[in-house]
Amino acid sequence: MRVAIQGFEGCFHQIAAQGYYGKNIEIECCASFPELVKKTKQQQVADVGVMAIENSIAGSILPNYSLLKNSGLHVVGEVYLQIKQHLMVLPGQTLEDVREVHSHYMALLQCSDFLEKYPHMKLVETEDTALSAKHVAQKKLKSTAAIAGKLAADIYGLEIIAPNIHTIKNNYTRFLVISPNGVTPQEDANKASVYFQTSNDRGSLAKVLTQVADAGINLSKIQSFPMPTKEWNYYFHADFEFDDLQHFQSAVNKIESLTEHLKVLGIYKKGNTH
């Protein structure tokens, strides 16, 4: 299995991909999310992609919803990954030796309470957590630490001198597994991702949501996006959770007549946490 991810070897996308498919996978690292989508669509270098879509603290990654909508790709699964940040250095270095800390700006922000205890440490923003670890290892940077996940420490041979330094411990990122092929839903599928567009008439969105509720379906996510071609008109991404696939399919049939456009991106099994 060849999996396209955003980031470098050892990053959280790779941890999520391994959580879903196991460790015996080939990773195709991509510098950006558009590149991830492009390589997943081509299928020449990747069979599927794993793409972050939202974080329990920072919220939705809005550009990725638009990327997904316009890609023609299907959602075939999801992964919830607990983000655990660790401070890592070259073997033999200690916390007292550290003068600089390198990582992605979001990781530095997530670990601000810990870092404030060491005002002598200079914080250096980089483009990726795992890349920071790679640079410390390859350039043999003494007095320099990286903040990244455990996989990065394992891959690049660094020692974790301060584990779990993130301020908020229940920080999760949700990743979608995306594929060019619309996989037939498993019998135990209990979640779906849908895009739909309603008219701008009063109550049009409420009518859709009422039908969803009446069908016994949980609306676990709804996100609105402006339509570039129509001022003050919106389309919506929604995630539905259900106990019976037939209930979902029945609900889709009912709400389709209430929408101007509806597309099911994928029907899959709700993800577990890793």
Side-chain angles (χ1 to χ4, degrees):
M1 177 66 72
R2 300 168 300 168
V3 184
I5 61 170
Q6 188 276 323
F8 296 81
E9 190 175 7
C11 67
F12 290 106
H13 270 78
Q14 183 174 356
I15 298 173
Q18 289 182 348
Y20 191 84
Y21 284 111
K23 294 185 177 180
N24 294 325
I25 56 175
E26 293 181 23
I27 294 297
E28 178 65 28
C29 296
C30 303
S32 66
F33 288 113
E35 183 184 348
L36 186 163
V37 167
K38 181 180 179 181
K39 288 186 174 180
T40 303
K41 287 177 65 175
Q42 291 174 341
Q43 282 195 290
Q44 294 170 344
V45 292
D47 300 304
V48 296
V50 171
M51 182 174 73
I53 198 72
E54 61 180 322
N55 178 266
S56 58
I57 298 172
S60 297
I61 306 174
L62 295 178
N64 287 3
Y65 282 95
S66 296
L67 268 176
L68 181 61
K69 175 179 180 289
N70 298 324
S71 68
L73 295 170
H74 304 273
V75 180
V76 297
E78 66 176 2
V79 183
Y80 290 87
L81 178 68
Q82 187 174 15
I83 305 300
K84 298 179 180 179
Q85 304 283 13
H86 311 298
L87 191 73
M88 54 194 69
V89 295
L90 292 172
Q93 293 277 290
T94 67
L95 193 58
E96 289 70 29
D97 296 325
V98 177
R99 293 292 177 268
E100 285 190 5
V101 179
H102 295 201
S103 197
H104 188 271
Y105 82 94
M106 185 59 72
L108 295 173
L109 187 63
Q110 290 170 350
C111 303
S112 58
D113 284 5
F114 173 86
L115 295 171
E116 285 174 2
K117 299 175 184 176
Y118 304 93
H120 65 281
M121 294 181 183
K122 179 184 177 183
L123 307 184
V124 180
E125 294 183 4
T126 65
E127 60 181 293
D128 186 79
T129 54
L131 183 62
S132 301
K134 182 179 181 180
H135 283 171
V136 170
Q138 289 190 341
K139 297 180 180 180
K140 301 189 183 305
L141 299 178
K142 294 184 177 180
S143 305
T144 303
I147 294 176
K150 183 179 181 298
L151 182 60
D154 294 341
I155 289 174
Y156 301 116
L158 299 180
E159 287 184 356
I160 294 175
I161 55 172
N164 298 317
I165 62 172
H166 40 284
T167 302
I168 299 176
K169 303 307 180 188
N170 60 339
N171 177 18
Y172 287 86
T173 295
R174 178 185 175 218
F175 297 81
L176 296 181
V177 183
I178 54 179
S179 169
N181 303 312
V183 179
T184 303
Q186 300 175 355
E187 288 186 7
D188 59 351
N190 55 7
K191 191 168 184 178
S193 293
V194 176
Y195 273 106
F196 65 88
Q197 174 189 340
T198 63
S199 69
N200 203 23
D201 297 333
R202 181 182 299 174
S204 58
L205 176 60
K207 291 176 183 177
V208 172
L209 300 184
T210 297
Q211 288 291 343
V212 171
D214 288 347
I217 292 173
N218 177 41
L219 178 68
S220 60
K221 173 79 177 181
I222 186 165
Q223 185 77 51
S224 65
F225 300 88
M227 295 182 61
T229 56
K230 291 185 178 180
E231 296 86 355
W232 312 118
N233 278 254
Y234 298 85
Y235 63 88
F236 302 89
H237 174 105
D239 291 330
F240 298 143
E241 296 179 4
F242 46 86
D243 297 321
D244 188 320
L245 181 57
Q246 289 186 337
H247 289 171
F248 167 73
Q249 292 170 333
S250 175
V252 167
N253 292 335
K254 290 179 180 178
I255 66 176
E256 195 163 18
S257 62
L258 302 174
T259 64
E260 295 184 348
H261 178 71
L262 184 145
K263 180 181 180 181
V264 178
L265 289 174
I267 303 172
Y268 50 95
K269 188 170 176 58
K270 184 178 178 181
N272 298 318
T273 55
H274 292 271

